[in-house]
Amino acid sequence: VIPDIGLTVTASNVKGDNGTSAVQILVQIRPEHLGFVEKDGRKKGAIEVAVFCADDKERLLGESWNTVDIEMTPDAFAKFQTSGLRYTGKVPVKAAARFIKVVVYDPGADVLGSTVFKIDPPKVKK
């Protein structure tokens, strides 16, 4: 776990859009160490978000890599400073995942955050 960028993760196994397995993920990213530049009266920046989903033996089942461009008005930036940034998505996986690793990198500020989230095993109906 790398704490430069504060992260809170929730995740669950779900069905994907075409009925296949997926992991629904929500990452709350704290704003304290993210870097922004002022351009044309707006705050601009970008983060890279990588999500890795693994089984109970930590074998990779699926992954996602995304760059998120951020551009805010001064009012939106003021709100962002208190609420942070929410990143959501679905990651296709080969089977139900048990571990999720999230890595967030801000190239503008050269800071990194990572965390691991454990998903409870599916309930077996008796």
Side-chain angles (χ1 to χ4, degrees):
V1 175
I2 300 172
D4 290 349
I5 300 173
L7 308 173
T8 304
V9 174
T10 57
S12 59
N13 287 295
V14 297
K15 290 291 180 191
D17 297 334
N18 57 1
T20 59
S21 295
V23 171
Q24 178 72 47
I25 187 154
L26 167 63
V27 183
Q28 185 70 32
I29 303 166
R30 289 197 293 276
E32 293 89 12
H33 300 289
L34 299 180
F36 292 89
V37 295
E38 179 109 16
K39 187 173 182 183
D40 301 325
R42 299 171 77 80
K43 295 284 191 174
K44 296 183 180 188
I47 57 171
E48 297 173 13
V49 181
V51 179
F52 305 94
C53 303
D55 65 12
D56 57 349
K57 294 184 173 52
E58 299 185 21
R59 294 178 294 214
L60 188 64
L61 298 171
E63 61 188 276
S64 170
W65 297 75
N66 292 291
T67 298
V68 179
D69 292 315
I70 306 165
E71 183 175 331
M72 292 176 270
T73 65
D75 289 343
F77 186 73
K79 184 177 178 185
F80 164 78
Q81 290 297 95
T82 59
S83 63
L85 176 69
R86 291 173 60 115
Y87 173 86
T88 61
K90 278 187 186 174
V91 180
V93 291
K94 298 175 196 170
R98 289 295 310 279
F99 293 97
I100 310 301
K101 181 170 188 172
V102 177
V103 179
V104 175
Y105 176 63
D106 180 343
D110 195 24
V111 291
L112 183 77
S114 71
T115 192
V116 175
F117 180 84
K118 186 174 181 181
I119 297 177
D120 291 330
K123 304 264 191 266
V124 178
K125 294 182 181 178
K126 294 182 180 183

